[in-house]
Structure formats: C-alpha cells, structure tokens
Amino acid sequence: MSALVSIRDLRVHFPVKGGRVRAVDGVSLDIAPGETVGLVGESGCGKSTTGRALLQLYTPKIAEITGEIRYQGNDLVALGKARGATVKLRPFRKDLQIIFQDPYASLDPRMTIGAQIAEPLRYHALVPKKDMAAKVAELLETVGLSPAMAARYPHEFSGGQRQRVGIARALAVSPRFIVCDEPISALDVSIQAQVMNLMVELQDKFHLTYLFIAHDLAAVKHISDRIAVMYLGQIVELAAADAVYDTPLHPYTQALISAVPIPDPSQRTRSRIRLEGEIPSPLNPPSGCRFHPRCTYAETACKTTEPPLTEVSPGRFVACHPVARGVRFPIREAPASTA
Amino acid sequence: MSAPILEVSDLVVEFRHDHGYFAAVNGLSFTLAKGQTLGIVGESGSGKSVTNLAVMGLLPRPPARIPRGQIRFHGEDLVNAPEKRLREIRGNRIAMIFQDPMTSLNPYLRIGRQLTESLEIHQNLKRQAAKDLAVHMLGRVGIPAPERRFDQYPHELSGGMRQRVMIAMMLLNRPEVLIADEPTTALDVTIQAQILDLLRDLQAELGMAVTLITHDLGVVAGMADHVIVMYAGRVMEEGRAIDLFRNPSHPYTLGLLQSIPRPDQRVDRLYSIPGRPPDAGSITQGCPFAARCRFAKPACTTAAPPLVSVSATQRSACIAIDEVLADPARRELVQRAQAHAGPAPTAGGGA
C-alpha cells in the first residue's frame, strides 16, 4: 500500500509553566488514498492536535513538533520549521484541508458566504476573477445549498447549512485530503445523517481521503474504513472499523466501546466494562503503558515499559504487552454486526 | 402504580415574539411516579428544556407566559404558586442538574461552601454538621479524597467531577424529583457511562422520580421507562421505552431511529430526514413536522393531529399511523432491531 499521508513518530508538545503538555506523543499512521481513517478517543487524548499538526496549523512558537509527516515525498514537519515556511507550505495547504466542529466559530460573521468560499480560491489564485461567481455557485450546489445563498451572511444559516458552507470552503481548492475535526458533533440528530451522507458522496465524487476525528463512536464506525483509538497522546489500537467495534483487543478500546449507549432499551442489561477514574494529565503521563493505572489486566511490565504498537494479526495493531503475547481478554457478549 | 408525584397536563408555554406570542411548548401532558424515569427527547427548539424551566418555576414571566395547563406537585398547583412557595420546593424537593456544571457552579466559591449553603438554607444545619454531610455525599457520588475536594474550586475539577459535585449538591436535600437536563452531553463516553450508572444507583436507593431530557436516543434507551418525543413544542409520540424504540409509530420517531448510525449494525447509507427543524418563533399551522414528513397529507397542514393510542402503552400524534405502521422501511428497522437483541417487547403496536 502506498500511503497518501504517512505519519511517523509524531510528537506535539506544548510548553507550559512547569512543564510540557505531551498532547501527541509518538503517533505513527499511514493513510491510503481514498480511505477514511477514524480517529477516536476522549477529551485530551490528542486526536484534534494530531489533525491540526498534520496540517501544520501550529507555529513553532506554540508547539514543539517532532517526527515526520510525509506527503508526496516531502516532510511537512521539516517544512514547517524551515525558513519561509509559509511559502514552502503553500502548495500543500491547497491539497490538505480541514472541516471544523463548530461552523459558528469558523465562519466570519461579517463576510458573505460567497466571499468566504471565494477566499481560498483567490489566495491560491485558482480561478480568474470573472469566473469566481460561477465557481462559488457551483460549489454551493455541490454541497446542497442554493447558489442564491452566496450573498447571505452566516447568521442567516442554520447549523447544518453552516457546516455545508464549511465543507464547500474546504472543497473549493480541490483538496486530496481533508481532516474532518468533529464535523457533526454540534449538529442536531436529524441533520447529522444529512452531513455524513454528503461527506460520503463527496468522497466518491472527488476521490477524497478523510481523517475523521470524532468522539461519537457510532458515527465514526459508520463512516470509516479503519479506526485508530487514541489514549493520552498515543494510538493504542488500529484496525478495520468492524474489527475495532466487534472484537476490540486493547482493554481501553473494550471499555470505550462497551460505554457507547445503544438506542435499544432491551440492550440495557448488556454487561459493561466499568472504567474507574479519569484520564491522567498529559502534563505528567504515567510511566510504561499510559493506561496501566486504570487497567484491570496491568502486569509488572506495563508499569515500566511502554508497549509498542504491534501488528497482532494482518492489519490489526495493538499497543498492549499481554495482547502482543497472544493473550485475549474477554469482551462483553456483543451481538455480531449484521452485514 | 403509586400516585403521581408530578403531574403536567395540557401545558402551554408561550414566549413573546415580534407579532404576539408563539408556543414553545404546546399541549404537553405527563405524570411521574416515585422511582420512575421519564425521558424527554427532542432536538433544538423542541421545547424540552422550556418544559423543565416551567416545572422548576424558573421561566421569566414575562416574556414567557403559561396561558393554559397545569403543573401539579403532589396535587399542588405550581403554575400560580407564589415565589416563596416555589423556593421551598425548588432545589429541595424538586432538584435539577444541567448540561454544563461549570456554568451552574460559582467559580469564586469553594466546592464545600456551595454544598453546605443549601443545607444551611433548606435544612437549618450547623456548619460542622453540614460539612460532615457534604463530605459524606461527595464520597457517595464517587469523588476520591472528598475532604480535599471540599476545599477546592470548580476549575480544579474535571467535567465529570464537576457533574458529580452537582449531583452531590442536589442529593443533599433528598429531592423527590430530579430533573436532569442533558446531564451527560458535555462528557466523554466513559465518563457519561459512569454518571448514568451513578444516577441509576442513586435512583434505586432513594426512589427518586427522574425526568431525563436529552437529544441522545442511546442515553434515553438506557435509562427511561417512559419516553416522550417532542418536536417544535409538540408531543409527536410517547410510550413505554421498549415500545417506542421497537415499534416507532410516528414518522418523526421513525426518521430519527433510521437516521442514527448504530454501532452494532451496518448500513451503507444513512436514512436522513430532509429539511431542518423550524426556527424558534416560527408559527406553523397543523403538524409542525409536516414539512419534513414523507407521509404528509394536505390535512396535516390544517390542524395539529391529536395523540391517539397505538396500543395500551403508546400514543402517536399522526393521522397516517396505519400507513406508517405498514411502511416497508419501518418494518425493516423493526425486524433488524428484533433480530438483534434482547427479549421481544411484551406489548406494543402492530408491524
């Protein structure tokens, strides 16, 4: 498999008073062209930071970034630190785009929707001025909005419509790869399905590759080919979406999945793995396996030695000492997925 | 079933708007008995939170008004109760927890002070006795090192811990009714599960009646005995939880259940309800869901359909129930759900 984006040992540390927040601490991930990789985990696990670092949205002043992000033979981490980073990164900014969670905060309230969609096209000089209005109209239609809406301001739009504008703006520059950072979390339930379906349609139409970051496991499983589960700055499990849900191997993944509420009262009695305590601070993560203080199965080695992400069966990666040795922990009696 | 603690009948809550008033809640009725959990489900603008504020007597009147309907607590009318009386009930016998505990805790006061304050007001306890009780309660809701937490400020606690503090605070006065408005929406999924477990345990222990307001069908399915589905101020469907999830009989409930991805099932493309919820303040004739409904008839836009019984335990406000029940997509959903899990419902509508 030749990856479109290849992340190697990515670390993103934020210096703060009294130490450094190790938000992302050794993430490696290959994303294939046309694939959707879901990145899940709880607040503070580093999933959004990973997405933003991937697009080089942090300046060296804010964050210390090490490791590699390979895209088309270039290392974006190195380019981001080089002199003239702005200019050097510009060609990649066109290819790699992002959709944000909060369509209220990511649109400028004083600019018309049309002007905001046109902005990246002007910046990258992609469309002559005389064709701009037609291109904006075409983009609005692509995301299911009326071209007449170009003249309106963000406050005239609903949350779902704003998210469509955010998608149109990302699509404007014909990207190849889009980081989708919690794109549906702020939307009403009946609107979430509309936006997810739109994203799938656009992926087929424009051969897009997605990194889909979300805490909603049901949505992530629906849209993703593979899922990476993060805990305290590291990937603990990476596998095909169905495998992660149906037969999670890492104790944290097992707990996470068993906590997802199922919209069926008859499943109320299903046994759930109770996870005690909360995620420790990324300022001072636990030694060894970061999950060990909360893990029922922790062994001596787990307290001292960090388990590497190991391929335990083809395409299945788990960072857990016992699992790597072949131990399989019991999971809840989950009904298998209906194909 | 024991006598209801809380009884809401034909409640209408209106807000002042550009041209007169619009109804944020329109004809809501429910009863809540000891130990029971009622789930109220709805999207933005459905009126679920306004219902809450009305029950708590926290609606600013004006601009709000309650032109019709009753809210009775042990038979006592709350709609026209004087503020002094409401203050005796509120926080004491009917308590509330909100989505965001950070906005409901005072950032300038230590956790302990916020807990003991209500004890001193409602129970006339001396300071040391109040502290002992508060520390005990912090431990009871699963806060480690409660003595230390007692002296901390809200910002020193995580979101999950803050919600536990809120729960401890409302439990101190042993309320008979707990209104939980999106209590876990701001929390991570494993923390959400912890908080829901805690609420369930406490409810069993104390016999509280709980009203759970949420947009999350998964959360409501895990907690509620009875569910009300609201849309634009009106009840679309209500019934026993198992019936409502297994045999949805209103197009809106059906659409919602079809459109949420279920992690234990697989579909290629999600069903999606076209259009979007009406803006707050827009006044619609007839059924508010008609504009987005695939079963809509001309009659739907002239008068809002009343709730009619689908079975002994389920009611739906739709004039096309027969058509909904016979719908192939609905049948598929019902079959998939039944093939999937648990014991079949013992009662409920056709299919």
Side-chain angles (χ1 to χ4, degrees):
Chain A
M1 168 180 92
S2 136
L4 179 71
V5 176
S6 193
I7 305 172
R8 281 291 165 277
D9 198 27
L10 180 69
R11 285 169 208 270
V12 185
H13 293 180
F14 297 97
V16 292
K17 206 167 57 180
R20 50 205 341 231
V21 174
R22 303 153 77 101
V24 177
D25 216 20
V27 161
S28 297
L29 180 66
D30 286 331
I31 304 169
E35 181 183 37
T36 298
V37 175
L39 196 54
V40 301
E42 300 183 274
S43 322
C45 72
K47 55 189 192 300
S48 286
T49 307
T50 302
R52 285 164 196 218
L54 213 154
L55 301 187
Q56 291 295 307
L57 296 185
Y58 298 113
T59 61
K61 259 188 196 158
I62 302 171
E64 293 165 15
I65 305 182
T66 60
E68 276 183 12
I69 298 167
R70 294 239 150 240
Y71 176 76
Q72 292 187 334
N74 294 276
D75 176 10
L76 301 184
V77 173
L79 287 178
K81 288 179 189 167
R83 279 174 67 114
T86 311
V87 176
K88 284 182 176 145
L89 285 170
R90 189 173 294 177
F92 304 105
R93 297 230 181 271
K94 191 185 97 47
D95 280 14
L96 313 171
Q97 283 287 316
I98 185 163
I99 302 167
F100 293 101
Q101 167 175 358
D102 187 351
Y104 296 76
S106 52
L107 294 175
D108 185 335
R110 293 164 306 177
M111 267 171 94
T112 63
I113 291 303
Q116 299 194 57
I117 294 174
E119 200 173 28
L121 292 166
R122 273 205 311 274
Y123 178 79
H124 292 285
L126 295 173
V127 175
K129 207 171 174 184
K130 63 176 173 48
D131 300 335
M132 192 62 86
K135 177 70 184 173
V136 168
E138 180 197 318
L139 282 162
L140 282 169
E141 283 200 317
T142 304
V143 296
L145 295 173
S146 150
M149 289 175 160
R152 299 208 198 151
Y153 289 88
H155 75 265
E156 300 174 71
F157 288 69
S158 69
Q161 289 175 326
R162 280 184 236 211
Q163 197 51 289
R164 287 174 191 267
V165 172
I167 294 171
R169 199 165 54 160
L171 284 179
V173 294
S174 310
R176 299 184 65 192
F177 177 82
I178 300 181
V179 171
C180 314
D181 192 357
E182 301 269 12
I184 58 163
S185 315
L187 306 177
D188 264 323
V189 180
S190 73
I191 306 300
Q192 292 187 351
Q194 293 177 1
V195 171
M196 269 196 282
N197 283 340
L198 173 66
M199 293 180 64
V200 172
E201 278 162 29
L202 296 173
Q203 179 168 41
D204 292 346
K205 192 167 168 189
F206 300 112
H207 312 291
L208 297 168
T209 304
Y210 288 146
L211 182 66
F212 192 91
I213 300 168
H215 65 274
D216 178 347
L217 276 143
V220 171
K221 179 180 178 255
H222 170 72
I223 208 163
S224 306
D225 300 303
R226 289 190 301 151
I227 293 177
V229 181
M230 285 187 77
Y231 185 79
L232 263 186
Q234 300 179 330
I235 293 178
V236 296
E237 184 154 2
L238 169 67
D242 290 345
V244 168
Y245 186 81
D246 295 336
T247 54
L249 296 180
H250 195 285
Y252 175 66
T253 315
Q254 295 186 342
L256 191 65
I257 279 163
S258 80
V260 178
I262 304 279
D264 181 349
S266 70
Q267 295 213 10
R268 199 178 290 184
T269 50
R270 83 192 158 123
S271 59
R272 205 169 59 64
I273 300 163
R274 288 192 181 213
L275 199 54
E276 300 298 327
E278 302 193 5
I279 301 176
S281 162
L283 201 61
N284 186 19
S287 61
C289 171
R290 291 180 179 193
F291 186 59
H292 89 255
R294 303 174 74 193
C295 183
T296 333
Y297 309 107
E299 307 169 347
T300 319
C302 303
K303 292 170 187 153
T304 53
T305 319
E306 208 172 283
L309 194 63
T310 311
E311 189 162 16
V312 295
S313 59
R316 277 209 90 154
F317 298 84
V318 181
C320 173
H321 291 305
V323 171
R325 272 202 322 271
V327 177
R328 293 294 173 265
F329 303 120
I331 46 171
R332 75 205 189 311
E333 59 278 28
S337 258
T338 41
Chain B
M1 198 166 80
S2 53
I5 299 177
L6 189 66
E7 212 174 346
V8 170
S9 47
D10 196 26
L11 180 68
V12 176
V13 180
E14 293 182 334
F15 281 93
R16 221 196 153 83
H17 201 55
D18 302 346
H19 332 277
Y21 284 84
F22 82 96
V25 175
N26 203 339
L28 174 69
S29 301
F30 65 81
T31 60
L32 195 59
K34 188 173 157 68
Q36 208 187 22
T37 300
L38 169 72
I40 302 182
V41 183
E43 302 181 277
S44 345
S46 64
K48 57 189 195 300
S49 292
V50 171
T51 301
N52 232 348
L53 294 174
V55 171
M56 290 292 284
L58 289 173
L59 278 177
R61 292 193 271 170
R65 67 175 189 188
I66 300 180
R68 206 173 76 212
Q70 292 181 324
I71 302 167
R72 292 187 175 276
F73 178 64
H74 288 296
E76 180 184 350
D77 175 37
L78 295 187
V79 173
N80 299 307
E83 180 59 27
K84 182 166 171 291
R85 178 67 187 136
L86 285 176
R87 231 178 282 144
E88 286 164 7
I89 295 171
R90 188 165 60 210
N92 192 18
R93 303 178 67 189
I94 304 178
M96 190 164 175
I97 52 174
F98 299 91
Q99 171 173 347
D100 184 358
M102 196 58 205
T103 53
S104 19
L105 289 170
N106 185 336
Y108 293 109
L109 287 182
R110 292 178 202 275
I111 297 298
R113 185 72 203 117
Q114 306 196 43
L115 286 162
T116 53
E117 192 175 36
S118 86
L119 285 173
E120 287 165 30
I121 291 172
H122 287 300
Q123 296 188 16
N124 256 325
L125 285 183
K126 289 278 183 303
R127 193 159 266 208
Q128 187 56 44
K131 179 177 176 172
D132 292 346
L133 187 55
V135 169
H136 166 78
M137 204 50 92
L138 286 175
R140 176 66 194 85
V141 297
I143 292 181
E147 302 82 7
R148 197 164 60 83
R149 295 297 188 188
F150 189 86
D151 288 323
Q152 287 185 322
Y153 288 94
H155 75 267
E156 297 177 82
L157 272 57
S158 68
M161 282 299 155
R162 279 184 216 134
Q163 196 58 287
R164 285 175 197 270
V165 169
M166 286 303 298
I167 293 171
M169 193 184 288
M170 72 81 196
L171 282 179
L172 282 171
N173 294 302
R174 302 222 153 214
E176 293 162 73
V177 178
L178 167 64
I179 298 176
D181 192 349
E182 302 271 6
T184 58
T185 304
L187 304 176
D188 278 317
V189 60
T190 61
I191 307 299
Q192 164 171 288
Q194 291 175 0
I195 296 289
L196 295 179
D197 280 346
L198 174 66
L199 284 176
R200 226 176 277 138
D201 293 349
L202 292 170
Q203 186 182 19
E205 188 185 315
L206 306 172
M208 283 183 306
V210 175
T211 306
L212 175 69
I213 290 151
T214 178
H215 70 281
D216 189 325
L217 289 161
V219 169
V220 101
M223 297 286 288
D225 306 308
H226 192 91
V227 179
I228 293 177
V229 180
M230 291 184 76
Y231 187 82
R234 285 186 181 275
V235 176
M236 298 286 104
E237 180 166 9
E238 62 157 321
R240 238 174 29 149
I242 188 87
D243 299 332
L244 198 114
F245 280 90
R246 285 298 184 77
N247 285 311
S249 62
H250 190 282
Y252 179 57
T253 321
L254 175 61
L256 280 181
L257 287 172
Q258 279 181 289
S259 65
I260 46 172
R262 283 189 54 163
D264 56 344
Q265 295 178 9
R266 192 187 308 147
V267 291
D268 287 336
R269 193 187 154 82
L270 295 169
Y271 172 79
S272 73
I273 303 174
R276 58 190 171 101
D279 295 328
S282 62
I283 294 157
T284 41
Q285 285 281 320
C287 173
F289 188 62
R292 305 174 71 189
C293 181
R294 62 192 170 97
F295 301 96
K297 313 261 170 292
C300 296
T301 53
T302 54
L307 278 167
V308 296
S309 292
V310 184
S311 75
T313 51
Q314 192 177 5
R315 299 194 300 159
S316 168
C318 180
I319 56 170
I321 291 177
D322 293 339
E323 214 178 303
V324 176
L325 293 180
D327 181 60
R330 175 186 177 278
R331 198 171 292 149
E332 195 188 315
L333 180 90
V334 168
Q335 278 167 0
R336 213 167 47 211
Q338 277 168 357
H340 233 276
T346 50

